[in-house]
Amino acid sequence: MRSRELTLGRTFAVVFDHGEDFMTALSEFCAANDVRQGYVPGFLGAYSSADLVATCEAPADPVAPVWTRLQVEYVEAIGCATLAWDPDAGRVVPHVHLATGVKRYAAAGHTSHLLGATVQFVNELLVFEVVAPQLRRPPRPDLYDIPVLTLED
């Protein structure tokens, strides 16, 4: 376990509009406001489509991460995220998880890592900027190269 006290900066209310790509809009918001790291304690909205990490087949290695996509359509959703800075790419790297309910299937649920989504009607979120420590997400070779959050000076 690792922990650090966070020094918070600005707090934003952000609304993504109908038809916007969620990940693109999040990246544009961060760039426009010079937010390099932070967290999104929660967001809610609807998506006409969302791509989640999932599979319907048993993976060959049950411990290894799954990177295949499951697309769900016309869902209500809640989620949360952390935002870390990638100094090599010069951009924010979001780590977003989403819980969805597919409307046409009695709100049947899917919960996983979000790869991408298109906003339907509206998506509302709060972004809390973190000033310190530095949030980074380097790949961990000992964990299948999964990027894992670090708390650096």
Side-chain angles (χ1 to χ4, degrees):
M1 194 260 308
R2 297 163 285 126
S3 67
R4 296 280 303 269
E5 181 177 357
L6 299 179
T7 302
L8 298 181
R10 301 165 293 167
T11 303
F12 298 89
V14 186
V15 179
F16 297 159
D17 294 318
H18 181 77
E20 286 189 292
D21 178 88
F22 179 85
M23 293 300 212
T24 300
L26 182 58
S27 293
E28 288 172 352
F29 158 78
C30 290
N33 291 282
D34 197 29
V35 172
R36 292 184 170 216
Q37 54 190 28
Y39 68 97
V40 179
F43 62 87
L44 55 93
Y47 300 101
S48 57
S49 67
D51 292 335
L52 305 173
V53 171
T55 183
C56 293
E57 300 175 5
D61 180 352
V63 177
V66 173
W67 294 113
T68 56
R69 291 177 182 255
L70 166 71
Q71 188 173 79
V72 292
E73 295 179 321
Y74 304 105
V75 297
E76 298 290 330
I78 58 172
C80 59
T82 55
L83 308 171
W85 182 251
D86 181 340
D88 295 330
R91 64 180 179 89
V92 167
V93 179
H95 180 203
V96 183
H97 278 245
L98 188 71
T100 66
V102 182
K103 293 185 231 181
R104 70 178 174 205
Y105 295 119
H110 297 280
T111 302
S112 192
H113 178 87
L114 179 67
L115 298 170
T118 302
V119 174
Q120 182 184 27
F121 307 131
V122 69
N123 193 276
E124 304 161 354
L125 55 150
L126 298 177
V127 177
F128 291 77
E129 180 182 43
V130 173
V131 175
Q134 299 299 304
L135 305 181
R136 301 289 186 260
R137 193 174 270 103
R140 289 271 308 265
D142 60 323
L143 295 174
Y144 301 93
D145 282 328
I146 292 176
V148 175
L149 190 68
T150 62
L151 311 168
E152 302 174 8
D153 290 323

